[in-house]
């Protein structure tokens, strides 16, 4: 890029927004793909890849994507938990790439829980 | 463009690099690649994170999990557990001193969450060698506003209203300095940045230049427009190779984007900036000496007036601002003077960066709002003095500053309140001292530094500091006399009154403050022949008291086999063999190794001879 204008400054800022959302916090939602041994064996990797690609395609920049271990309900893997700030977390089960894309679009972006794939709302009590 | 879902920020400050930060980066990248995660995780080298005591440091975003003291050996496990399986590795995380549980997120660690970052707002958050990342954090938007929407008068007014003061130590109001220079018409003017950080133990400016070099350039562009300069220089010491390298990269990138050079952002304003490497003389941090040095002359201060704002570099109107001061400028322009004044006090608004070091748990670089009490800085952010030691004093402002005792720890950090104690805020070096420090030796150390660094131009400073140093050496070596303390005080005021520049005018401060708050200690050196901290070899006898439990720890560290005694029975020091290395004194956890006056040695030798 050669000489830039004030508008270019704003464009560069926009382009890097996702990176700094990651580093600064202030995210709207978090999607956790459960990647324990069971999850990976059941195809969590494909679910994760689908999520990464779909988020890039839809330019979703304010959602954290992370992994965690087994959610304890191994038979229902691959699983993912969607947490939207201020709302109860929702666990989805028996996912694949297509289902994950649908969850991203309808729940994370659209704000509506995808009931047909949802396992449970809320999280276990822990002490 | 690859969309990374996480960013791993490895601290690339000088401290962490020295501890192996770059090896860590290589190992991490290799491991991520091996696990097929290199398209999900991005590894970034940042500027100094500030928590140097815990380096090499890695912060894993988005969670903001803080890993410390990592080595390449930790990498395979860390990648497997956290980055692949999403299980943060507790044993590699930072733990608060005195507490067992791991504190994972940066926002939960007092060292970080009590700080407010302005000058350091990009530290550890951006890649210092990427102008785009700087721009993404509102970089150059302040300059854009100043160049496109503001007149030089408006810029000066905003700075004056903000109340920003020179953070290099003097505290001169920045807006007034700019307005004064703007008032002298000249076809040639200069904007300079003072990066000649010379105080022992201070590394604030170094860190900003390494972590966020563009902010210095942006501050200079805004200042340059305010005064009408077309050329700028950053005076940086050659001992800061990483800072020099990153400044050069930043200047090159800014020129490519047209943010330096002719017609910046199409505004019609032109400015170019070059780094100028200093050779490391302390006096070259003084404004007039710094300008002589850039001109190629010997770095010596000159008489003022005329002030530099009227006739500075090459005799032209010049503004010189410190790195930290300039780092505050872009945000003030962007967010306004009122925003700046939200933090700090009426007369000292904003924040101050301190280099926290010495006998303290959390050694590092911190930024706090002005007005925070010293106690909070030292105990809450700094984590207090290490276990088993007792706080004695905090040294502020380096060789130009002074020592503040425990009784004044509730003093708020502002220019006025700190000056009231006899110390100065100065550039921001904060050295914590414990009961093992001898205050006479501390003032000797600083006088040794200033006597060495005195440029020699004026007599009070050149000869005065040397004579004072000789007196202090006499006192610490057992040749102190009645009246020495009074002579030191008298000479101090003569040097302050008679010296040409700030170096001489402030050189006696360490002596004056230690005499003011620790006169007892000077007296025990002179009158009792006793350095109670056990530092001055000629003035101490080490012995072990009767409560000694006979654990043998002292015996093991003694390099001259001077300690004897059966296990679980009180030990003894054989005085004729003792070389006064202080190892046993520092080692004993129970305080049973004690110091006595030098004269005690003969007594103990006689006593031991009788017993034998």
């Amino acid at each position: 890029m050669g000489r830039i204008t004030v508008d270019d400054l704003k464009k560069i800022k926009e382009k890097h927004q996702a990176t700094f959302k990651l580093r600064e916090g202030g995210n709207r939602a978090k999607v956790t793909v459960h990647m324990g041994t069971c999850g990976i064996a059941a195809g969590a990797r494909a679910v994760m890849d689908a999520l990464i690609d779909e988020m890039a395609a839809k330019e979703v920049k304010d959602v954290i994507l992370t992994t965690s271990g087994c959610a304890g309900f191994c038979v229902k893997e691959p699983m993912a938990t969607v947490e939207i700030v201020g709302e109860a977390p929702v666990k989805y089960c028996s996912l694949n790439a297509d289902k994950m894309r649908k969850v991203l679009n309808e729940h994370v972006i659209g704000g509506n829980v995808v009931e047909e794939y949802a396992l449970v709302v809320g999280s276990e009590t822990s002490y | 463009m690859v969309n990374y879902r996480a960013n791993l920020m490895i601290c690339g400050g000088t401290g962490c690099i020295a501890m192996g930060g770059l090896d860590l980066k290589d190992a991490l990248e290799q491991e991520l690649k091996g696990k097929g995660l290199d398209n999900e995780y991005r590894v970034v080298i940042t500027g100094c994170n500030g928590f140097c005591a815990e380096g090499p440091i890695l912060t894993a975003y988005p969670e903001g999990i803080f890993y410390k003291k990592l080595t390449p050996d930790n990498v395979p496990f860390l990648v497997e557990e956290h980055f692949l399986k999403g299980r943060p590795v507790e044993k590699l995380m930072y733990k608060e001193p005195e507490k067992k549980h791991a504190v994972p997120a940066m926002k939960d660690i007092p060292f970080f969450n009590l700080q407010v970052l302005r000058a350091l707002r990009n530290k550890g958050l951006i890649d210092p060698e990427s102008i785009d990342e700087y721009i993404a954090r509102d970089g150059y938007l302040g300059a854009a506003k100043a160049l496109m929407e503001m007149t030089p008068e408006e810029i000066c007014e905003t700075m004056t209203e903000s109340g920003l003061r020179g953070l290099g130590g003097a505290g001169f109001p920045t807006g007034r300095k700019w307005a004064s220079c703007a008032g002298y018409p000249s076809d040639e003017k200069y904007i300079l940045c003072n990066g000649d950080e010379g105080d022992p133990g201070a590394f604030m400016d170094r860190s900003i230049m390494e972590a966020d070099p563009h902010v210095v350039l942006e501050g200079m562009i805004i200042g340059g427009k305010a005064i009408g300069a077309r050329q700028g220089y950053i005076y940086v010491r050659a001992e800061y190779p990483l800072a020099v390298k990153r400044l050069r990269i930043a200047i090159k990138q800014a020129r490519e984007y047209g943010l330096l050079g002719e017609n910046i952002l199409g505004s019609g304003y032109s400015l170019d900036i070059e780094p100028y490497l200093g050779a490391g003389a302390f006096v070259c941090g003084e404004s007039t000496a710094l300008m002589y040095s850039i001109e190629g002359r010997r770095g010596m201060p000159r008489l003022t007036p005329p002030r530099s704002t009227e006739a500075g570099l090459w005799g032209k109107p010049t503004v010189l601002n410190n790195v930290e001061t300039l780092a505050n400028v872009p945000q003030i322009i962007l967010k306004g003077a009122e925003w700046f004044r939200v933090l700090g006090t009426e007369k000292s608004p904003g924040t101050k960066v301190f280099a926290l070091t010495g006998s303290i748990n959390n050694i590092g670089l911190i930024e706090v709002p002005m007005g925070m009490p010293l106690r909070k800085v030292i105990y809450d952010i700094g984590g207090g003095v290490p276990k088993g030691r007792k706080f004695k004093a905090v040294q502020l402002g380096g060789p130009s500053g002074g020592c503040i005792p425990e009784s004044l720890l509730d003093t708020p950090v502002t220019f006025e309140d700190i000056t009231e104690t006899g110390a100065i805020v100065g550039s921001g070096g904060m050295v914590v001292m414990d009961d093992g420090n001898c205050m006479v030796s501390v003032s000797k150390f600083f006088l040794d530094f200033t006597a060495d660094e005195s440029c020699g131009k004026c007599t009070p400073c050149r000869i005065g500091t040397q004579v004072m140093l000789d007196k202090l050496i006499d006192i610490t070596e057992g040749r102190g006399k009645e009246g020495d303390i009074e002579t030191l005080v008298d000479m101090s005021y003569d040097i302050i009154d008679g010296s040409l520049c700030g170096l001489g005018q402030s050189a006696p401060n360490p002596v004056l403050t230690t005499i003011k708050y620790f006169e007892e200690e000077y007296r025990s050196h002179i009158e009792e022949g006793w350095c109670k901290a056990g530092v001055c070899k000629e003035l101490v006898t080490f012995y072990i008291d009767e409560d000694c439990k006979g654990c043998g720890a002292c015996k093991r560290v003694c390099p001259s086999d001077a300690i004897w005694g059966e296990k679980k029975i009180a030990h003894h020091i054989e005085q004729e063999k003792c070389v006064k290395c202080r190892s046993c004194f520092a080692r004993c956890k129970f305080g049973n190794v004690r110091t006595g006056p030098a004269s005690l040695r003969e007594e103990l030798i006689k006593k031991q001879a009788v017993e034998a």
Side-chain angles (χ1 to χ4, degrees), chain A residues 1 20 49 54 64 67 74 77 82 93 96 99 112 115:
Chain A
M1 198 185 270
F20 286 94
D49 289 345
E54 191 70 8
I64 294 182
T67 59
C74 310
E77 295 281 3
V82 173
C93 62
N96 58 29
K99 289 181 181 176
N112 300 311
E115 287 173 7

Side-chain angles (χ1 to χ4, degrees), chain A residues 1-6 8-10 12-25 27 30 33 35-37 40 45 48-49 52 55-57 59-61 64-70, chain B residues 1 3-7 9 36-37 40-42 44 61-63 82-87 125-127 132-133 135-141 144 148 255-260 262-266:
Chain A
M1 198 185 270
R3 294 182 62 89
I4 59 169
T5 63
V6 178
D8 291 330
L9 283 176
K10 288 171 186 156
I12 293 170
K13 189 182 163 186
E14 186 67 25
K15 203 176 97 189
H16 287 76
Q17 213 185 354
T19 303
F20 286 94
K21 271 281 184 318
L22 272 184
R23 295 182 197 165
E24 289 166 21
N27 294 278
K30 181 165 101 176
V33 179
M35 290 183 84
T37 307
I40 293 171
R45 165 61 45 193
M48 174 59 96
D49 289 345
I52 291 174
M55 278 173 61
E59 294 189 5
V60 177
K61 287 170 179 168
I64 294 182
L65 187 47
T66 185
T67 59
S68 79
C70 168
Chain B
M1 191 181 136
N3 243 30
Y4 296 97
R5 69 174 181 84
N7 279 214
M9 318 296 283
L37 291 170
E40 293 181 31
Y41 281 84
R42 180 162 167 224
V44 183
Y61 291 103
E63 298 94 335
H82 183 171
F83 305 145
L84 185 64
K85 295 184 180 162
R87 291 193 287 246
L125 209 56
I126 64 165
D127 176 351
D132 283 2
E133 290 206 355
I135 292 171
R137 295 265 302 153
D138 290 340
Y140 290 108
L141 287 180
M148 313 300 280
R255 282 179 186 154
E256 278 166 15
Y257 274 7
L259 291 163
L260 284 177
E262 293 297 317
N263 193 14
I264 297 170
L265 291 169

Side-chain angles (χ1 to χ4, degrees), chain B residues 131-387:
Chain B
I131 189 171
D132 283 2
E133 290 206 355
Y134 177 69
I135 292 171
R137 295 265 302 153
D138 290 340
Y140 290 108
L141 287 180
K145 184 175 173 190
L147 296 188
M148 313 300 280
E149 300 166 22
M150 295 171 84
T151 63
E153 294 74 32
E154 284 167 348
I155 298 173
C156 291
E157 267 168 40
T158 303
M159 294 315 294
T160 305
E161 282 164 22
S162 76
L164 176 67
R165 297 172 64 169
L167 297 169
F172 192 84
T174 307
R176 250 172 65 198
K177 193 187 264 187
W178 289 7
S180 155
C181 186
Y184 293 106
S186 170
D187 53 342
E188 254 178 82
K189 290 187 184 182
Y190 296 98
I191 177 103
L192 308 183
C193 167
N194 189 347
D196 189 68
E197 190 172 41
D199 295 1
F203 52 98
M204 296 75 51
D205 297 343
R206 171 183 207 157
S207 190
I208 293 173
M209 291 186 285
E210 287 178 2
D212 199 11
H214 284 285
V215 79
V216 179
L217 305 184
E218 190 181 355
M220 288 175 79
I221 294 170
I222 295 166
K225 155 111 182 192
I227 64 166
R230 290 182 53 89
Q231 178 65 43
Y233 294 99
I234 302 173
Y235 193 90
V236 51
R237 41 183 48 221
E239 293 100 318
Y240 285 0
L242 188 62
V244 173
K245 178 187 156 206
R246 288 187 175 155
L247 283 169
R248 286 197 165 127
I249 292 172
I251 289 171
K252 185 167 168 278
Q253 291 172 337
R255 282 179 186 154
E256 278 166 15
Y257 274 7
L259 291 163
L260 284 177
E262 293 297 317
N263 193 14
I264 297 170
L265 291 169
S267 65
Y269 174 68
S270 305
L271 175 80
D272 200 21
I273 295 174
E274 284 171 49
Y276 188 94
L277 270 57
F282 184 60
V283 74
C284 287
E286 196 278 338
S287 64
T288 59
L290 183 150
M291 290 173 205
Y292 272 28
S293 174
I294 294 180
E295 289 171 9
R297 292 198 266 174
R298 185 168 170 176
M300 279 184 159
R302 62 165 173 82
L303 268 175
T304 51
R307 297 237 160 242
S308 302
T309 47
E310 184 185 350
L313 186 63
W314 315 111
K316 304 291 181 186
T318 302
V319 155
L320 174 71
N321 287 129
N322 160 267
V323 172
E324 191 187 334
T325 314
L326 288 168
N328 275 288
V329 169
Q331 290 296 307
I332 294 175
I333 294 296
L334 202 56
K335 295 180 177 163
E338 279 310 306
W339 165 84
F340 185 73
R341 301 194 73 99
V342 166
L343 292 180
T345 64
E346 178 64 30
K347 286 183 177 166
S348 300
T351 59
K352 178 78 193 92
V353 181
F354 288 101
L356 202 52
T357 183
S359 181
I360 189 152
N361 280 313
N362 300 337
I363 288 174
L365 195 74
I366 59 163
E367 180 168 1
V368 295
M370 286 275 193
M372 183 182 273
L374 280 169
R375 195 182 297 280
K376 197 167 177 181
V377 176
I378 291 166
Y379 285 91
D380 296 346
I381 296 177
V385 295
K387 220 176 172 179

